[in-house]
């Protein structure tokens, strides 16, 4: 049975089905310029989609006006508050407790500067997004790992043990939570997040949460903002339209404080707000206000691709273990049974000409794994799996 429904067409409502490989290879961003043209790039978190029309219109209008100065105002925060209210039933995003930051990871850095100092510990749930290690260590903080459970969910016992180690000697500690989780696509439940908040409070650990993938939660799965759970009032959250609408090159994110963290946010240096792109703010605001129909079409396409990938792997590469997560456009593939060593991504690139993320930089639990970006057309996804299978022949 053919698992691929049809090829890309310009009028398909699913944005993943709208662009051909030839059109995509005209792009000059990291995804399409890092490797030679004979490599299929399914690695860095860029989606193979045309932009939502409201975003294109807003940016084009700004260019026509010459509106390319410095960012100002609260339109972005207001748009995100409205999206959160409609999408997640959360009306606790207070515009006055937000600040514009250049992007989510630089916002994480600024948040950590507000509530920790050099030598302090930052707890992370490995395997996790590699910049959690890189940025934290560059700030002269210590990473303390709390591995996910075998089910790829939060392991509260491991987290409590990590909190104990993090605060030894009376040091301050922070928990950098990824919600939804990258690379697994796991969506933490309200109960899990409330348990996290209680644990953090018990051990005196502050929580900073990266919620960049929050718009990318599949229909039928509830996303719970960390700041909305009991005990989350002292948390700091980073949100952005970047991942949901493919706006990584249009820099802008929001740092959001819970009610008990308003004093921390008030100490954020004024110059941090100079870093975001004004055009980025315009684009993100338009996405959140007017791009929901486009997002919903994308989410349907991503759900289809998760099922497609699971079927392709079962047929072509049954040795790979894949547990589809309901969020993000990233697939975490356990390749250890293939006998390709700690870095199977290197084998798939060398022998199959498919670029995937190596699992090694994701920390403990990453060896023998790869991260695959499934935000592409079904045809490209099928060709990638075919090449991966051929790499083992």
């Amino acid at each position: 049975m053919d698992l691929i429904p049809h090829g890309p067409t310009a009028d398909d409502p699913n944005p993943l089905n709208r662009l051909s490989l030839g059109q995509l290879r005209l792009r000059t961003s990291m995804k399409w310029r890092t490797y030679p043209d004979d490599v299929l790039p399914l690695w860095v978190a860029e989606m193979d989609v045309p932009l939502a029309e409201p975003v294109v219109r807003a940016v084009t209008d700004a260019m026509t006006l010459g509106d390319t100065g410095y960012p100002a105002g609260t339109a972005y925060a207001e748009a995100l508050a409205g999206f959160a209210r409609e999408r997640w039933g959360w009306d606790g995003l207070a515009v006055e407790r937000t600040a514009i930051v250049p992007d989510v990871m630089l916002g994480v850095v600024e948040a950590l500067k507000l509530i920790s100092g050099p030598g302090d510990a930052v707890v992370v749930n490995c395997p996790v997004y590699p910049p959690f290690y890189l940025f934290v260590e560059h700030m002269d903080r210590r990473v303390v790992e709390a591995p996910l459970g075998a089910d790829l969910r939060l392991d509260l016992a491991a987290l409590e043990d990590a909190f104990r180690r993090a605060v030894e000697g009376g040091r301050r500690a922070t928990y950098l939570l990824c919600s939804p989780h990258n690379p697994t696509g796991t969506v933490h439940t309200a109960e899990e997040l409330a348990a996290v908040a209680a644990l953090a409070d018990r051990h005196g650990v502050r929580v900073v949460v990266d919620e960049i993938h929050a718009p990318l939660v599949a229909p039928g799965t509830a996303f719970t903002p960390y700041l909305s759970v009991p005990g989350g009032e002292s948390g700091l959250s980073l949100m952005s339209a970047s991942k949901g609408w493919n706006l990584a090159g249009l820099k802008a994110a929001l740092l959001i404080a819970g009610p008990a963290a308003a004093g921390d946010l008030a100490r954020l240096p004024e110059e941090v707000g100079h870093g975001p792109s004004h055009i980025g703010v315009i684009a993100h605001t338009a996405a959140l206000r007017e791009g929901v129909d486009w997002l919903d079409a994308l989410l349907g396409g991503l759900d289809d691709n998760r099922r497609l990938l699971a079927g392709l792997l079962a047929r072509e590469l049954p040795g790979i273990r894949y547990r589809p997560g309901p969020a993000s456009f990233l697939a975490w593939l356990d390749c250890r049974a293939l006998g390709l060593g700690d870095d199977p991504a290197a084998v798939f690139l060398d022998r199959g000409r498919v670029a995937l993320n190596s699992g090694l930089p994701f920390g403990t639990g990453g060896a023998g794994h790869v991260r695959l970006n499934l935000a592409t057309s079904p045809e490209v996804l099928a060709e990638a799996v075919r090449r991966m299978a051929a790499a083992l022949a």
Side-chain angles (χ1 to χ4, degrees):
M1 182 181 68
D2 187 2
L3 295 173
I4 313 301
H6 56 76
T9 56
D11 58 352
D12 193 315
N14 174 9
L16 295 169
N17 285 336
R18 302 258 312 269
L19 299 174
S20 69
L21 190 56
Q23 289 172 302
L24 290 166
R25 290 204 182 278
L26 296 175
R27 293 182 171 181
T28 60
S29 62
M30 182 184 289
K31 181 176 184 180
W32 294 98
R33 286 295 180 265
T34 298
Y35 297 99
D37 283 351
D38 67 328
V39 172
L40 274 185
L42 276 73
W43 63 295
V44 71
E46 300 178 22
M47 294 193 286
D48 295 348
V49 293
L51 289 187
E53 180 55 35
V55 174
V56 175
R57 186 168 59 247
V59 171
T60 302
D61 289 348
M63 291 295 180
T64 301
L65 288 170
D67 188 9
T68 53
Y70 297 103
T74 58
Y76 188 2
E78 292 165 11
L80 180 57
F83 181 85
R85 199 162 38 244
E86 292 296 319
R87 201 74 172 184
W88 307 319
W90 180 40
D91 61 3
L93 199 164
V95 171
E96 65 273 16
R97 292 199 308 273
T98 66
I100 299 175
V101 293
D103 58 34
V104 163
M105 279 312 302
L106 290 178
V108 165
V109 167
E110 295 299 335
L112 291 175
K113 287 179 182 177
L114 294 174
I115 60 175
S116 70
D120 289 343
V122 177
V123 175
V124 303
N125 298 119
C126 53
V128 71
Y129 183 48
F132 276 28
Y133 294 91
L134 301 174
F135 280 76
V136 167
E137 291 168 352
H138 183 69
M139 294 179 67
D140 195 24
R141 269 62 168 176
R142 297 180 292 119
V143 172
V144 175
E145 293 185 323
L148 297 173
D151 58 357
L152 302 181
R153 304 201 68 86
L154 296 176
D155 182 333
L156 294 177
L159 191 61
E160 182 159 33
D161 178 66
F163 284 177
R164 287 196 191 99
R165 288 183 283 124
V167 298
E168 280 177 349
R171 298 296 298 266
R172 289 181 297 181
T174 307
Y175 175 33
L176 180 52
L177 171 64
C178 195
S179 178
H181 195 80
N182 175 2
T184 63
T186 304
V187 178
H188 312 307
T189 66
E191 293 75 18
E192 286 172 325
L193 293 174
V196 163
L199 271 182
D201 180 66
R202 187 182 313 153
H203 292 278
V205 174
R206 296 293 302 277
V207 179
V208 175
V209 55
D210 169 357
E211 296 178 310
I212 197 171
H213 289 277
L216 290 167
V217 173
T221 299
F223 170 74
T224 302
Y226 178 77
L227 301 186
S228 72
V229 302
E233 298 85 1
S234 64
L236 291 164
S237 166
L238 280 304
M239 289 190 176
S240 173
S242 172
K243 291 293 182 283
W245 285 267
N246 204 42
L247 304 176
L250 291 166
K251 294 286 191 180
L254 287 164
L255 173 56
I256 308 156
D264 298 309
L265 188 65
R267 293 185 284 105
L268 187 73
E270 188 266 343
E271 62 268 19
V272 172
H274 298 171
S277 160
H278 180 48
I279 298 298
V281 170
I282 289 170
H284 289 234
T285 302
L288 291 161
R289 282 182 174 165
E290 304 174 65
V292 174
D293 289 345
W294 183 95
L295 177 66
D296 286 338
L298 170 72
L299 293 178
L302 291 176
D303 237 9
D304 290 343
N305 275 6
R306 291 185 193 101
R307 287 189 289 270
L308 173 61
L309 179 61
L312 290 168
L313 291 174
R315 186 175 73 184
E316 304 287 343
L317 286 164
I320 291 181
R321 185 180 182 196
Y322 169 44
R323 189 194 304 263
S328 86
F329 48 81
L330 305 168
W332 186 238
L333 308 183
D334 183 348
C335 305
R336 288 175 291 180
L338 300 181
L340 300 180
D342 287 347
D343 191 12
V347 178
F348 291 130
L349 177 61
D350 183 50
R351 299 183 196 166
R353 310 310 285 161
V354 178
L356 308 171
N357 287 100
S358 168
L360 292 173
F362 290 79
T364 300
H369 292 70
V370 298
R371 191 187 75 174
L372 180 150
N373 179 346
L374 51 77
T376 189
S377 70
E379 292 73 29
V380 168
L381 196 57
E383 173 63 11
V385 173
R386 187 197 67 76
R387 291 186 184 196
M388 291 166 67
L392 305 185

